[in-house]
């Protein structure tokens, strides 16, 4: 066995492992992503064929057939192998790529999802039907499987880019302008989304979870999301709610069914039922809530929420219990 073979084998396994996972463009879980994955393989094969043909021709005339040749034969090889063949191959690839564009622009139907890129989190609104009151959430997208959903995209202050690699291509988000994207998931599961445009200090920490659900399950979830927050279940949670209101958290955050009506930060009405906290960087358990509230700047540089490191351990614990219970 050659000396470097184990290293090359390990590197190959690592490369193959990168083709799977919740954020892989080569492991599609949606119709649009599947089309883009097919396009990747077609273009890759075309590039390999072109590389082999051109470099094979070069190798032939410089290493195998090194004798002098006629001007006519030389012109035939240069024009045919260097111009005509690449022209027709690349033209064919271009025509194929353009032919898939109409499917990528088809509109969705049913529930409209509006996503706004903030600094540095995602404001999400579900509009069940035209003119209906939006159901507001944050930092998580829920979608029905085998259904094409329209997503309207915007931004508050800077350009962002909305991307769920396993479901569809990316789309930029601009302040003052609305762009659109439609996705049609084909496999239930949890997929990772990410801002794909350098947007500032916390760009790398601006992620989200895309949860694809069965259609009946999605309808039930959406109805539950429409409801106000449940009242605290026990005395500790009630103390946590008091801390939340007394500390002025309601000036920035909304918890429907309470006096908290802030619109600056994410809606927290059902924050305990989400899969992540802080735009995809922490779980939604008590320890994570406590860490986030008391160390926001250390966890996510550039975040606008100030750290509440002055809270006593008892108040911080009660607040964490309250937030975890908002499901």
């Amino acid at each position: 066995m050659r000396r470097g073979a184990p290293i090359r084998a390990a590197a190959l396994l690592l490369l193959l492992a990168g083709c799977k996972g919740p954020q892989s463009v080569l492991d599609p879980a949606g119709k649009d992503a599947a089309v883009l994955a097919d396009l990747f393989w077609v273009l890759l094969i075309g590039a390999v064929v072109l590389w082999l043909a051109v470099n094979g021709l070069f190798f032939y005339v410089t290493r195998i057939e090194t004798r002098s040749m006629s001007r006519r034969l030389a012109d035939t090889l240069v024009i045919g192998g260097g111009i005509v063949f690449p022209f027709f191959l690349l033209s064919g690839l271009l025509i194929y790529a353009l032919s898939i564009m109409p499917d990528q622009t088809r509109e969705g139907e049913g529930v409209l999802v509006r996503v706004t890129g903030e600094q540095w989190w995602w404001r999400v609104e579900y509009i069940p039907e035209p003119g209906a009151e939006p159901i507001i959430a944050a930092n998580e997208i829920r979608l029905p499987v085998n259904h094409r959903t329209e997503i309207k995209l915007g931004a508050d202050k800077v350009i962002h880019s909305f991307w769920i690699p396993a479901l569809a291509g990316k789309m930029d988000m601009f302040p003052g302008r609305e762009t659109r994207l439609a996705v049609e998931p084909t496999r239930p599961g949890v997929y990772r989304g990410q801002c794909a445009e350098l947007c500032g200090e916390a760009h790398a920490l601006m992620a989200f979870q895309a949860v694809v659900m069965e259609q009946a399950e999605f309808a039930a979830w959406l109805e539950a999301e429409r409801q106000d927050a449940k009242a605290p279940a026990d005395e500790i949670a009630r103390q946590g709610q008091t801390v939340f209101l007394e500390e002025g958290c309601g000036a920035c955050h909304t918890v429907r069914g309470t006096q908290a009506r802030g619109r600056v930060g994410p809606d927290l009405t059902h924050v305990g039922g989400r899969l992540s906290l802080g735009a995809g960087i922490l779980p939604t358990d008590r320890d994570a809530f406590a860490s986030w509230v008391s160390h926001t700047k250390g966890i996510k540089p550039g975040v606008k929420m100030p750290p509440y490191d002055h809270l006593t351990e008892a108040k911080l614990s009660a607040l964490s219990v309250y937030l975890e219970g908002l499901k």
Side-chain angles (χ1 to χ4, degrees):
M1 181 180 289
R2 294 182 180 178
R3 185 175 300 176
I7 297 177
R8 289 194 293 271
L12 180 60
L13 288 175
L14 288 174
L15 290 174
L16 291 175
C19 296
K20 292 287 185 179
Q23 199 177 1
S24 173
V25 296
L26 300 181
D27 185 18
K31 285 191 174 181
D32 300 274
V35 170
L36 294 177
D38 290 343
L39 176 62
F40 166 80
W41 290 115
V42 170
L43 294 180
L44 178 62
I45 293 171
V48 170
V49 170
L50 181 59
W51 186 89
L52 290 175
V54 174
N55 286 280
L57 180 61
F58 180 79
F59 182 81
Y60 175 77
V61 299
T62 59
R63 293 291 186 272
I64 299 176
E65 191 62 51
T66 58
R67 63 179 176 84
S68 61
M69 62 183 67
S70 66
R71 177 64 181 267
R72 181 177 181 180
L73 178 58
D75 288 347
T76 300
L77 291 175
V78 171
I79 296 174
I83 298 176
V84 176
F85 176 72
F87 172 79
F88 281 103
L89 177 62
L90 294 175
S91 296
L93 293 175
L94 177 62
I95 292 171
Y96 171 75
L98 293 177
S99 71
I100 69 172
M101 293 297 290
D103 285 339
Q104 297 290 296
T105 57
R106 284 193 302 117
E107 294 184 354
E109 57 185 12
V111 176
L112 171 67
V113 182
R114 180 173 286 115
V115 181
T116 304
E118 305 281 352
Q119 291 178 290
W120 281 270
W121 58 281
W122 309 89
R123 190 185 303 275
V124 184
E125 301 172 76
Y126 299 87
I127 305 174
E129 56 188 29
E133 187 74 17
I135 302 169
I136 301 175
N139 294 326
E140 186 177 278
I141 311 293
R142 303 237 175 181
L143 300 166
V145 71
N146 296 322
H147 180 86
R148 194 162 186 82
T149 301
E150 186 83 7
I151 304 178
K152 300 289 188 180
L153 303 168
D156 183 24
K157 293 183 173 64
V158 299
I159 296 174
H160 300 280
S161 189
F162 183 87
W163 191 25
I164 313 173
L167 299 184
K170 66 183 70 171
M171 180 62 66
D172 284 349
M173 311 164 79
F174 305 94
R177 176 184 168 189
E178 187 175 75
T179 53
R180 58 166 296 275
L181 180 72
V183 298
E184 189 170 348
T186 56
R187 191 172 73 223
V190 180
Y191 307 96
R192 189 176 189 273
Q194 175 71 48
C195 176
E197 180 79 28
L198 181 59
C199 56
E201 190 173 1
H203 161 69
L205 299 174
M206 189 174 172
F208 61 93
Q209 306 290 344
V211 184
V212 178
M213 314 168 72
E214 297 292 348
Q215 294 189 24
E217 184 184 4
F218 172 78
W221 172 85
L222 190 64
E223 181 58 32
E225 195 74 8
R226 186 199 305 269
Q227 307 305 315
D228 290 346
K230 293 182 179 179
D234 54 39
E235 181 58 30
I236 295 179
R238 283 190 287 273
Q239 292 174 12
Q241 183 183 56
T242 300
V243 173
F244 183 88
L245 296 174
E246 288 182 347
E247 291 293 332
C249 303
C252 293
H253 298 285
T254 291
V255 177
R256 295 192 301 275
T258 74
Q259 301 172 12
R261 290 287 185 269
R263 289 273 298 169
V264 177
D267 187 297
L268 301 181
T269 303
H270 300 293
V271 65
R274 297 171 193 158
L275 299 183
S276 68
L277 175 66
I281 61 177
L282 291 174
T284 49
D285 56 35
R286 297 181 189 182
D287 291 340
F289 278 116
S291 296
W292 175 256
V293 170
S294 57
H295 299 95
T296 47
K297 300 292 185 182
I299 294 174
K300 192 168 188 177
V303 69
K304 297 184 181 301
M305 177 178 166
Y308 283 74
D309 50 7
H310 62 279
L311 293 177
T312 65
E313 184 175 344
K315 286 187 175 182
L316 186 60
S317 177
L319 179 58
S320 301
V321 171
Y322 171 64
L323 294 173
E324 185 187 37
L326 292 175
K327 299 181 178 180

